[in-house]
Amino acid sequence: MGKKLTSRSQDYSKWYNELVVQADLAENSAVRGCMVIKPYGFAIWEKMQAKLDKMFKETGHENAYFPLFVPKSLFEAEEKNAEGFAKECAVVTHYRLKTNPDDKTKLIVDPEAKLEEELIVRPTSEAIIWNTYKNWIQSYRDLPILINQWANVVRWEMRTRLFLRTAEFLWQEGHTAHETKAEAIAEAEQMNKIYADFAENFMAIPVVQGKKTESERFAGAEDTYCIEALMQDGKALQAGTSHFLGQNFAKAFDVKFTSKEGKQEHVWATSWGVSTRLMGALIMTHSDDKGLVLPPKVAPNQVVIVPIYKGEEQLNQISEVALALKKQLEEAGISAKFDARDTHKPGWKFAQYELQGVPVRIAIGPKDLEKGTVELARRDTLTKSFVKRDDVVDTVKQLMEEIQENLYTKAKTYRDEHITAVDSFEEFKEVLENKGGFIAAHWDGTSETENKIKELTKATIRCIPLNTEKEEGSCVLTGKPSAQRVLFAKAY
């Protein structure tokens, strides 16, 4: 096994980076700022993807795929969107290489192969999709269009960190077109609720649902809804966004439909997405100094069975029991792995599966065969117990629910204890410096004040919460009237 992890209290950032690599989730690649997602990390992403895909389809959405490249003229059609992403774009200018005449072992860009129009490697797909929707939509009968795309995107980040911020990442992006403003707003709100449901009930991550301020909105949106999570170091992480785009893209790409009254009208739009950044949220919400801690619903292997034996005869006897148990668990809907490798000792395997966050470990040795028992170890509490072999399946089924609930409760307790209401700027700075977490404070609603607070403290408004009571007060910085508290935090 790899070296011991740096503790979270010693260096949280180093702990995170070490854990991602040592747990075999991902690693840096030969391409600066890009990552290789390894099989174990990708297996977790696939489980998340499958669940989200099911939730999208249950609400009437269909999957499609659009080009990776966006012609510059299309990209710049919606000005706010183009301006918002311009500094992060990778641009294709040529279509061919040729042998370097000065060094036949090297290649150079062929200057004769310059594209007539540059292609943007998609940072997001609104432009190419709305140019396509123009051909799909003529009448109100063609609406709504409810499309989702699973894809990769490129945003040229200078400071990168595995999963949290990389130049290329995986995500899904929904793009919908509607007949009315009310329908589009309802869609954006619905998708934000789906993200919240997914985060809380599948990933066991408590989130705050809210709206972004004008300066934090998606470029080209009229409103951005979001889910915000709190990591164990007291920093916030934006875990998903859903945008009401109004008619901005419809007007930019001239997407009109004939209404029931026979009038020509622009359609109303939404877009929404979550990315592999959720992997970072998963790691930082639940894991500990011993490694990854996975909620059972996300774990590729919910149970691992490790034999403890001397000699081939004992291994054969234990394997018979273990394989029968594995089959019973799988028939009960629990994913199980039997690790009979003879290249590693049981202690090494225990450490590996602890590091990789497998929810339940079962050990079977010769004495267990005699007694008709197995040893069960829980990853979330690090506790062990002996269970009769006949009771294993029922016990594990119950444990799956208990562990899922325990991880959510633990994370929610931490989150709730780190939402602090303050009424003065001195208190604001003190909480931010010494406690961290979300700060519930009054704000006068202006971008000037928002920017000044960010400049002074590095804290941003994470969201204007949706499900809290309005409470009038005075802005913590300016003393001007405020209609409700908003949540500030330092963030990833």
Side-chain angles (χ1 to χ4, degrees), residues 126-266:
E126 278 79 5
I128 194 74
I129 287 176
W130 278 91
N131 182 66
T132 306
Y133 283 0
K134 183 180 179 178
N135 302 320
W136 292 4
I137 299 167
Q138 275 80 45
S139 154
Y140 70 90
R141 294 183 185 89
D142 300 321
L143 298 169
I145 289 179
L146 307 173
I147 294 288
N148 174 63
Q149 167 171 256
W150 291 97
N152 60 338
V153 289
V154 170
R155 296 180 185 175
W156 211 256
E157 301 282 359
M158 299 315 291
R159 292 188 186 89
T160 59
R161 187 182 294 182
L162 294 169
F163 291 122
L164 294 174
R165 200 172 286 278
T166 48
E168 179 197 16
F169 55 91
L170 304 182
W171 77 347
Q172 58 72 213
E173 48 181 324
H175 297 271
T176 69
H178 303 267
E179 192 176 344
T180 67
K181 180 179 181 179
E183 273 181 39
I185 291 172
E187 166 77 4
E189 289 175 345
Q190 171 189 246
M191 298 321 292
N192 203 56
K193 284 174 185 164
I194 283 174
Y195 288 153
D197 179 10
F198 171 76
E200 296 192 337
N201 295 313
F202 193 73
M203 297 182 71
I205 299 175
V207 293
V208 177
Q209 294 184 59
K211 278 188 183 184
K212 290 290 187 185
T213 61
E214 187 178 350
S215 65
E216 291 282 332
R217 274 180 210 150
F218 176 75
E222 289 192 11
D223 251 326
T224 288
Y225 298 84
C226 61
I227 55 169
E228 294 285 328
L230 192 66
M231 305 298 97
Q232 292 178 54
D233 63 345
K235 282 188 182 178
L237 187 138
Q238 179 181 287
T241 50
S242 179
H243 317 290
F244 167 58
L245 302 176
Q247 294 175 309
N248 295 336
F249 284 89
K251 287 175 179 174
F253 291 92
D254 196 31
V255 185
K256 292 178 180 174
F257 70 100
T258 305
S259 70
K260 289 167 188 167
E261 294 74 36
K263 293 179 183 174
Q264 283 280 294
E265 295 180 18
H266 285 104

